[in-house]
């Protein structure tokens, strides 16, 4: 299948030239880059969270194989869904799905289903691709959408990815942080989650998100990324950037916040 871009022109620019212009206006030259095991990047409109996402992509070496795990905002499809074949198309060109890796992940999971429905209108994965395409000319990827954040599902997907992949695979957790609270409240809540992320504590992350009702939409994907990274010998999680929508709207009474992490 060819999964066409559905949020080009809304979440991010609609042409290749506009995307490149946005990226090159918002990056600085990096002389050293991390060999990351996983990263966390936001998925809001580029005008709000693009600089934060770029701060991460511009700081890592991107391998030939990437797994992107995003939340299911639409509620469609299976609770844990993957597209296992075909290509995704953005204004930057087409990206091939790594069918072999996708099938290996499916075969090691009890819950993951090959199901395109959850992906048809989901933006959390699509918005990552143009940035990846800018920094890496040729790569394959596996798109996974999570609609169930139970520990059972998190552990199942973590173990499936660990068994199916090697350490050359980069796991990308697509997540925004707090939604529609004041800047002060967002910072207080987000840094409770950041403490768990920095400690590489996936269970602690899910506990604190639940206990304090933190509206971090990709906590499940991030928990999977932490589990994968720990199995691959991760030593630390580094917060590269943190901001919120109030930087653009000048309204700090109700913001969505964004963070960029790299796990090495």
């Amino acid at each position: 299948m060819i999964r066409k871009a559905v949020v080009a022109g809304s979440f991010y620019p609609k042409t290749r030239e506009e995307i490149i212009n946005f990226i090159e206006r918002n990056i600085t030259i990096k002389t050293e880059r991390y060999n990351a095991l996983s990263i966390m990047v936001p998925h809001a409109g580029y005008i709000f969270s693009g600089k934060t996402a770029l701060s991460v992509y511009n700081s890592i070496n991107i391998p030939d194989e990437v797994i992107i795990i995003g939340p299911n905002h639409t509620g469609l499809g299976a609770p844990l869904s993957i597209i296992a074949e075909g290509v995704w198309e953005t204004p930057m060109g087409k990206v091939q799905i790594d069918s072999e890796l996708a099938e290996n992940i499916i075969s090691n999971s009890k819950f993951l289903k090959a199901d395109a429905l959850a992906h048809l209108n989901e933006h959390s994965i699509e918005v990552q691709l143009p940035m990846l395409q800018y920094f890496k000319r040729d790569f394959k990827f596996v798109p996974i959408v999570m609609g169930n954040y139970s520990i059972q599902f998190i552990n199942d997907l973590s173990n499936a990815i660990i068994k199916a992949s090697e350490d050359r695979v980069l796991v990308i957790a697509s997540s925004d942080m707090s939604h529609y609270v004041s800047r002060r409240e967002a910072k207080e809540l987000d840094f409770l989650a950041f403490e768990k992320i920095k400690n590489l504590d996936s269970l602690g992350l899910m506990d604190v998100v639940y206990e304090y009702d933190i509206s971090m939409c990709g906590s499940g994907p991030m928990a999977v990324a932490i589990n994968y990274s720990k199995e691959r010998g991760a030593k630390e999680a580094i917060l590269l950037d943190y901001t919120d929508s109030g930087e653009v709207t000048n309204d700090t009474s109700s913001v969505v916040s964004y963070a960029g992490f790299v796990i090495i």
Side-chain angles (χ1 to χ4, degrees), residues 5-207:
V6 296
V7 293
S10 55
F11 276 72
Y12 62 89
K14 63 182 178 180
T15 69
R16 175 185 176 87
E17 291 73 19
E18 290 172 318
I19 292 169
I20 291 173
N21 286 339
F22 174 86
I23 291 172
E24 294 185 346
R25 287 197 313 269
N26 290 286
I27 60 172
T28 57
I29 296 173
K30 297 285 185 178
T31 56
E32 295 185 11
R33 296 178 184 271
Y34 296 107
N35 291 316
L37 294 163
S38 64
I39 60 174
M40 186 180 86
V41 283
H43 53 241
Y46 281 15
I47 189 174
F48 297 109
S49 68
K51 290 182 181 180
T52 298
L54 285 172
S55 73
V56 179
Y57 287 122
N58 193 34
S59 298
I60 64 171
N61 294 310
I62 301 170
D64 294 334
E65 293 179 305
V66 173
I67 298 170
I68 308 177
I69 310 172
N72 186 334
H73 290 94
T74 68
L76 300 174
L80 197 58
S81 62
I82 187 172
I83 297 181
E85 61 181 4
V87 297
W88 281 45
E89 190 171 42
T90 80
M92 297 286 283
K94 294 179 180 178
V95 185
Q96 183 71 43
I97 290 176
D98 190 331
S99 298
E100 181 179 357
L101 177 57
E103 292 294 344
N104 285 341
I105 297 172
I106 292 170
S107 67
N108 282 287
S109 170
K110 296 178 181 178
F111 305 113
L112 186 62
K113 305 297 182 184
D115 173 24
L117 184 60
H119 296 259
L120 291 181
N121 295 305
E122 177 56 55
H123 67 275
S124 63
I125 292 176
E126 180 185 328
V127 297
Q128 309 303 336
L129 292 176
M131 293 189 184
L132 283 164
Q133 289 171 290
Y134 177 86
F135 288 104
K136 179 77 171 180
R137 179 170 297 180
D138 188 24
F139 68 96
K140 293 182 179 181
F141 88 115
V142 173
I144 299 173
V145 165
M146 295 185 72
N148 185 320
Y149 288 0
S150 69
I151 298 302
Q152 187 180 24
F153 273 64
I154 288 169
N155 288 339
D156 175 82
L157 181 57
S158 302
N159 292 332
I161 291 173
I162 290 164
K163 291 176 181 178
S165 63
E166 299 179 8
D167 56 6
R168 69 178 184 275
V169 173
L170 174 70
V171 174
I172 299 175
S174 180
S175 181
D176 296 337
M177 294 302 300
S178 290
H179 290 64
Y180 311 121
V181 296
S182 70
R183 173 176 287 172
R184 179 177 179 179
E185 184 178 356
K187 188 172 183 179
E188 290 175 354
L189 293 172
D190 292 344
F191 275 80
L192 293 173
F194 294 166
E195 181 182 1
K196 302 302 181 182
I197 294 172
K198 289 178 179 179
N199 289 332
L200 300 176
D201 182 358
S202 60
L203 182 58
L205 172 63
M206 300 309 297
D207 284 345

